[in-house]
Amino acid sequence: MPCGAFRVSGARQGWPRRNRPGRLGGDSSGGHISVEPRINERIRVPEVRLVGPNGEQVGIVALGDALRLAQEADLDLVEVAPTARPPVCKLMDYGKFKYESALKARESRKNQAQTVIKEIKLRPKIDPHDYGTKKGHVERFLRQGDKVKVTIMFRGREQSRPELGYRLLQRLAGDVEELGFVEAQPKQDGRNMIMVIGPHRRKSEAKAERSAQHGERAPARQRTARPAAAAGSAAEAEPTEADTGQPPAPDEPEAGS
């Protein structure tokens, strides 16, 4: 060490290396940081800007007065804007608010349609029958509202003929143009050539249409089953001698007898 210079490190002071002050990732005494808003007695400011339960502006009031108003209305004082000066607090039923928020989040996740990218792989010299099969898969994916990643795989000397793959991709895009559009133009990626086709309609619309079709098919089956059941019940409902107590009417003689 230079003459007259000295240094006191955290290790020499007896601090463990992982608990040195200011070290990132070390243990802290703060504990878990809550993301929920502060309510009632957890609010530690002298005054707040108070908002009523129906959204009316009460104004800037002392914290004690706001807590008293919340207690009289049997509501909670919730800090909705902690960064404002003074912080904005609202009178509300916090338990009911959390329950309704959870329901809305669940419904939004249920109605949210995730975009899925399907992949189809082709060869530059693909057989016509195989091409028709692959094209059918692409059309099915597009009807379902999914994107399709079409990959042309080149092998050996085929790598010197990229125009074969480009023409094949253009042909496929033209065959399915009624269901989708070219979202990403063909580009070379190593030994492969890639193109992305996007659907014209969203996945949520396709899902709603499929559910509507399934809903229409069930009543149709029921309508076809009803006449047969009605005919069977009518045959069973014919009165007999035991039911009426009278013998059946004699048959009418034929015209020639």
Side-chain angles (χ1 to χ4, degrees):
M1 297 292 292
C3 180
F6 63 92
R7 181 180 62 180
V8 178
S9 63
R12 296 184 183 181
Q13 287 284 335
W15 292 95
R17 177 175 293 274
R18 60 189 179 88
N19 289 338
R20 290 181 191 174
R23 180 178 177 85
L24 295 177
D27 297 340
S28 60
S29 59
H32 177 69
I33 300 177
S34 177
V35 296
E36 294 188 357
R38 295 184 296 182
I39 62 174
N40 298 331
E41 287 77 10
R42 295 181 182 179
I43 303 173
R44 302 293 185 180
V45 291
E47 57 184 11
V48 297
R49 184 180 298 276
L50 187 61
V51 180
N54 297 324
E56 64 274 13
Q57 297 290 334
V58 179
I60 299 176
V61 299
L63 179 61
D65 297 337
L67 291 174
R68 179 178 54 80
L69 291 175
Q71 186 176 6
E72 292 176 354
D74 195 16
L75 297 173
D76 299 310
L77 182 66
V78 183
E79 190 178 44
V80 294
T83 58
R85 292 292 180 269
V88 180
C89 297
K90 185 177 181 180
L91 298 176
M92 68 173 69
D93 187 346
Y94 187 61
K96 181 179 178 181
F97 170 75
K98 289 185 63 177
Y99 176 73
E100 293 177 350
S101 299
L103 285 181
K104 291 179 181 179
R106 188 182 308 170
E107 289 296 328
S108 63
R109 288 193 302 267
K110 184 186 300 184
N111 298 329
Q112 183 179 7
Q114 297 180 356
T115 302
V116 180
I117 299 180
K118 305 290 186 177
E119 184 175 9
I120 292 293
K121 295 183 179 181
L122 308 175
R123 294 292 306 279
K125 298 180 180 179
I126 187 172
D127 184 76
H129 181 269
D130 294 340
Y131 173 80
T133 303
K134 299 286 187 178
K135 185 184 71 172
H137 293 329
V138 173
E139 292 175 346
R140 176 166 54 88
F141 294 148
L142 293 176
R143 288 193 186 97
Q144 295 175 357
D146 297 326
K147 295 182 181 181
V148 183
K149 176 183 177 182
V150 186
T151 303
I152 305 294
M153 301 180 297
F154 296 95
R155 294 181 181 177
R157 296 182 179 179
E158 294 176 349
Q159 300 181 34
S160 61
R161 301 289 303 277
E163 65 276 3
L164 296 178
Y166 182 80
R167 286 200 294 264
L168 182 59
L169 292 177
Q170 293 296 322
R171 174 187 173 188
L172 180 61
D175 292 341
V176 300
E177 61 181 357
E178 295 182 358
L179 301 174
F181 62 96
V182 179
E183 186 171 307
Q185 294 295 331
K187 65 178 181 179
Q188 194 76 20
D189 185 12
R191 295 184 177 182
N192 301 329
M193 182 174 291
I194 299 174
M195 181 182 69
V196 179
I197 302 177
H200 285 310
R201 59 179 179 178
R202 299 179 181 178
K203 192 169 185 177
S204 58
E205 298 176 357
K207 185 177 180 181
E209 183 177 348
R210 288 198 303 270
S211 61
Q213 291 177 356
H214 290 311
E216 292 176 356
R217 291 175 182 174
R221 289 195 296 267
Q222 294 176 2
R223 287 195 299 269
T224 55
R226 284 176 183 172
S233 61
E236 295 176 357
E238 289 184 357
T240 60
E241 182 179 359
D243 296 333
T244 59
Q246 297 178 1
D251 297 335
E252 296 180 4
E254 296 181 1
S257 60

